[in-house]
Amino acid sequence: MILSTSTSQSLSASLADELNEPLAQVEYRSFPDGELLASAPGFEDDRAIIVASTVSSDAHLELLQLQDAAREWGAEEVVTVLPYMGYARQDKPLAPGRAEEGSAPGYPISARAVARAVSTGTDRVLTVNPHENAVCDFFDVPAEPVDAAGRLAEPLPADLADPVFLSPDEGALDIAATVRDAYGDGTTDYFEKHRLSDTEVEMRPSDTDVTDRDVVVTDDIIATGSTMSEAVALLQERDVGRVFVTAVHPVLASNARTKLARAGVETVYGTDTVERVVSAVSVAPTVAAAIDS
Ligand code: R5P
């Protein structure tokens, strides 16, 4: 039985098809005081697979409620799928000047706090392309990353000209390589990135000659769009061919989409880990295979 938070309904439907599992009709209510209630009255099964993109605090709450509901009906196994794990990027204490340190008095490690809470209601966790795979160590139950980046090759045109797959920083180079491998042609490289603030980044171009080449810029996540905008703006200064922007998690917070458009981005492709207009491809087949492995 698949149960979805309000944030993962399309992916849950696709996953139900892939796994040939029933899809519960979850009801979402909110009360005048702002409290929420996600419930699945009349549904029960030995195994509950809860699909929850925790893009908001409300989604975290819905997840905890659905886990509790499944335990209440007596599910023998509860599997939690976090297509997008919110707070995963806060995997260190965000104390001013101490970002790289493992602990700082008075500061939480938010990814750990969230992982511990999620662990209380589940037997197993799968999360798609977390910012760092090490975030899985924060859970108190078996947790595994699922690499679905290869699916981003699907919506790309078949006729890319001498393509180069660029990541905005070295950390995302493996994602660019995965997309290149899935596409079956092209080279990879990365930009040098330095983050100035939550919404500002400074970047230097890669050495790769991109003249007249189609470029696919690939990252794990587009949040404020600052990283991608800066990368594309640098590319626009050169005689590149077409530029495609792809990311596993198209969070696109606040004014990110217009920021990208102003930077000259025409095409953004993301997956349905975060359900947006640009979610051109589903991670359901990859997640289904991981659940059954
Ligand atoms: C950072 O290392 C990540 O891979 C992304 O590049 C970053 O989180 C994107 O954030 P934004 O869209 O806010 O620049």
Side-chain angles (χ1 to χ4, degrees), residues 134-178:
V135 79
C136 291
D137 298 341
F138 287 144
F139 291 89
D140 297 323
V141 294
E144 60 198 277
V146 177
D147 184 2
R151 306 216 78 85
L152 290 169
E154 286 175 33
L156 292 172
D159 63 348
L160 290 182
D162 193 13
V164 53
F165 294 78
L166 288 175
S167 60
D169 57 35
E170 191 173 5
L173 182 58
D174 55 342
I175 295 182
T178 300

Side-chain angles (χ1 to χ4, degrees), residues 1-4 8-26 40 42-51 73 79 291-292:
M1 176 76 62
I2 308 265
L3 297 103
S4 174
S8 291
Q9 297 182 59
S10 297
L11 175 54
S12 293
S14 302
L15 201 54
D17 280 349
E18 287 288 334
L19 291 168
N20 203 19
E21 288 259 351
L23 177 65
Q25 181 69 68
V26 176
F43 291 91
E44 58 181 69
D45 201 350
D46 289 344
R47 179 170 77 162
I49 300 171
I50 302 169
V51 186
W73 82 47
V79 178
I291 288 174
D292 279 344

Side-chain angles (χ1 to χ4, degrees), residues 89 131 168-169 172 193 195 198 201 219-228:
R89 291 184 296 167
H131 184 57
D169 57 35
K193 175 171 120 180
R195 186 168 281 283
D198 287 350
V201 295
D219 207 350
D220 56 339
I221 172 174
I222 303 174
T224 66
S226 306
T227 300
M228 279 297 190

Side-chain angles (χ1 to χ4, degrees), residues 23-24 39 41 69 87 132 143 156 194 203 205 246 248 257 260 263 277 280 288:
L23 177 65
S39 60
Y87 288 86
E132 298 283 352
L156 292 172
H194 176 58
M203 298 183 81
T246 64
V248 179
R257 189 63 190 88
L260 292 171
V277 172

Side-chain angles (χ1 to χ4, degrees), residues 1-5 12 15 19 21 45-53 63-64 66-68 70-71 73 75-83 118-127 139 141-144 146 287-293:
M1 176 76 62
I2 308 265
L3 297 103
S4 174
T5 57
S12 293
L15 201 54
L19 291 168
E21 288 259 351
D45 201 350
D46 289 344
R47 179 170 77 162
I49 300 171
I50 302 169
V51 186
S53 275
L63 166 59
L64 297 181
L66 292 176
Q67 288 176 331
D68 198 67
R71 292 291 191 213
W73 82 47
E76 288 168 16
E77 184 187 18
V78 177
V79 178
T80 297
V81 178
L82 301 174
V118 170
S119 299
T120 59
T122 194
D123 301 296
R124 181 184 174 203
V125 174
L126 297 94
T127 184
F139 291 89
V141 294
E144 60 198 277
V146 177
V287 172
I291 288 174
D292 279 344
S293 67

